[in-house]
Amino acid sequence: MDALVEFKTEDGARIVVEGVDEGSGARMVSRGDGPVQAARTFESALDGVRAAAESALRVFRDGALRPDSVELEFGVKLSAEAGAVIAKGAAEGHLVVKLSWSPGPSRPDAQAAGPS
């Protein structure tokens, strides 16, 4: 099981999550049996995910496709040191993009003219 990581929000609330096992290298250590204290606030840990979402939305909204709606799904893992990490899913990365278009409104002048 991965270690528990405690984040604090900017208003001081505590959020405890199951964190990413960071493998080799330096590790954060908890005092006693409690969760590891994250080095960043919860909000700052999510900054990278927000930036990734903003960039992805820009790509899909500003291109030639012009969808009516864009839905992004990121798998996110939280790390005491790295903050939020886009999780590796079944493929090499986890990002699901759904684009949708609504049927355009019918033109009133075309309906009034009827079949030719």
Side-chain angles (χ1 to χ4, degrees):
M1 176 172 117
D2 292 334
L4 296 179
V5 178
E6 180 180 310
F7 288 88
K8 290 206 174 164
T9 63
E10 290 173 355
D11 63 359
R14 291 179 45 210
I15 299 173
V16 178
V17 298
E18 186 176 4
V20 176
D21 183 8
E22 299 189 41
S24 63
R27 292 180 183 239
M28 303 276 300
V29 178
S30 66
R31 295 180 187 197
D33 293 332
V36 173
Q37 300 296 309
R40 303 160 67 173
T41 65
F42 186 69
E43 293 86 353
S44 68
L46 293 172
D47 281 344
V49 176
R50 181 180 56 219
E54 288 170 350
S55 293
L57 284 173
R58 230 180 351 267
V59 166
F60 293 110
R61 286 186 175 157
D62 296 344
L65 295 175
R66 302 270 182 208
D68 293 325
S69 69
V70 177
E71 183 179 323
L72 300 173
E73 178 184 315
F74 290 90
V76 176
K77 291 186 177 184
L78 295 166
S79 161
E81 247 178 75
V85 178
I86 296 175
K88 185 175 179 179
E92 283 302 305
H94 183 83
L95 170 63
V96 176
V97 179
K98 294 180 184 178
L99 307 175
S100 64
W101 292 263
S102 300
S106 57
R107 294 186 350 228
D109 58 329
Q111 288 180 353
S116 305

